[in-house]
Amino acid sequence: MSTLPSAPHVGDIPPAEFRAAMHRAADLAADYLEHVGEYPVLARTEPGAVRAALPAAPPERAEPMEAILADYKRIVEPNLTHWNHPGFMAYFGITGSGPGIVGETLAAALNVNAMLWRTSPAATELEELVTDWMRQLVGLPEPFRGHINDTASVSSFIALAVARHRVPGLNIRAKGLAGRPEVPGLTVYCSDQAHSSIDKAVIALGLGHENLRKIPVDDAFRMDVASLDAAIAADRAAGRLPIAVVATAGTTSTTSVDPLPAIADVARREGIWLHVDAAYAGNAAVCPEYRALLQGWERADSIVFNPHKWLFTPVDCSLLYVRDVELLRSAFSLVPEYLRTPETGVTNLMDYGIQLGRRFRALKLWMVIRGFGAEGIRERIRLHCALGREFAEWVAREPGFEVVAPVPFSTVCFRATPRGSPESQDAANERILARVNDSGRVFLSHTQLRGRLVLRLTVGNLRTTREHVERAWALIREAASAS
Ligand SMILES: *Cc1c(COP(=O)(O)O)cnc(C)c1O
């Protein structure tokens, strides 16, 4: 007697329904990208509105895909901030390009878990191939080996874990850090403009936030190397052990590039790990003229940059390059019996980080590189930088405005300077930001530089044209004269 449940409540949805839903999803995606500019770029959703529009309890009975997709179109899609909108000029742009979206979709269909070569040969080898393609495209030398992670935050965490693993005599894998009075404070250095993910990595690695030294920056928001030298010397004199310096190539606020050759000299002299966080600007190295700004990064021990930031690849896709891949492997490799495989001479991606299971992210990056070609990628990045520079020129020429940081790439930090105290100027810029963002046509973000509120416009979106940047500038000037 069988105790198995009887049909129809087993198996996937019928193939015909799946096919129809995928066709509908393709139309939804294509319509969305074609018309995304008609939405207000910044969500106008009231907090709680999305949940209120949907049942609080899950459905007991299966619902047709058609009904689910209709709710997606009605409730989900409109209640978002539209990162694909041509007026999205906040933070750093991301664009899910056509080739990237196709790759992401097919990766979901395959749903392989690329932990071992044998569990997904093509995913493993495509990852090796595309990370090497990218290495060539950005002009890094051969010893660098690439590895795909979800985010720069995780890539930097892994890089600093390897730096900690390498400390002679520490034996961190076996002994950890706690309860070891003989271990000195292990210090890490970055500029005061470094990304918060470096702080989080230091915290999560048990190094202690107080052991992260924030080095001051120069007029152009680049790490001051004399201060780095002095901080390392002071730590050594106090019996602490410097283990790593993180240079930022393209800081999050101003996209400034730390003086990489001088920092590489310090790292070599001190025998400490050099990690370069190039999450955004590293992508620009596909263009030789921007690669020149990153000169010295090829001397790093590890480098991260995110194709999901400025290389038209859907979130998530972050590339970690390490000079000594065996060191990365020795920091993380651990093979339990149930994951032992007979193949030799193959890469098992689980050996290169903390996660076992991994998504097939190489597929979308492979499709992006092929779908645009190196020249196509370069032209798009060049256009974004040209638009950023042109915007900066408009601002610089306009009485009552100033550009407050150099513009090495496509990001401009600027502010209105109405007569009045610094505090009243901050308030005026806050009002301008709110007015522009309320327009629904442009979304800008802000930062703080030298204690003052600064507006920030970045061009990194595939759909942004000169007209969109002109419109942003018109809205900003309008908001300034109204404030
Ligand atoms: C955006 C950014 C990060 C964080 O990137 P995630 O992939 O979101 O973790 C890290 N560093 C810099 C310099 C960044 O601009």
Side-chain angles (χ1 to χ4, degrees), residues 64 104 171 251 292 439:
E104 187 77 305
N171 199 4
T251 58
S439 76

Side-chain angles (χ1 to χ4, degrees), residues 405-423:
V407 182
F409 303 100
S410 68
T411 301
V412 186
C413 289
F414 65 102
R415 64 198 304 260
T417 53
R419 238 188 281 281
S421 66
E423 291 72 26

Side-chain angles (χ1 to χ4, degrees), residues 380-438:
R380 287 167 171 86
I381 287 193
R382 284 184 179 126
L383 173 68
H384 295 167
C385 292
L387 291 174
R389 275 196 302 271
E390 194 173 14
F391 175 81
E393 283 162 21
W394 300 337
V395 175
R397 277 206 307 268
E398 184 79 9
F401 277 90
E402 63 179 2
V403 176
V404 295
V407 182
F409 303 100
S410 68
T411 301
V412 186
C413 289
F414 65 102
R415 64 198 304 260
T417 53
R419 238 188 281 281
S421 66
E423 291 72 26
S424 71
Q425 288 190 337
D426 281 359
N429 280 285
E430 196 105 53
R431 284 194 300 275
I432 294 170
L433 184 64
R435 280 211 184 92
V436 169
N437 289 344
D438 280 349

Side-chain angles (χ1 to χ4, degrees), residues 41 44 85-89 391 394 401 414 416 428-429 431-444 455 457 467-483:
V41 50
R44 292 188 169 156
H85 193 293
F88 189 103
M89 301 175 192
F391 175 81
W394 300 337
F401 277 90
F414 65 102
N429 280 285
R431 284 194 300 275
I432 294 170
L433 184 64
R435 280 211 184 92
V436 169
N437 289 344
D438 280 349
S439 76
R441 308 180 81 184
V442 172
F443 179 31
L444 305 181
L455 306 179
L457 178 145
E467 285 67 47
H468 297 106
V469 182
E470 282 172 350
R471 179 196 292 167
W473 180 222
L475 286 165
I476 292 162
R477 278 184 310 170
E478 247 173 71
S481 55
S483 86

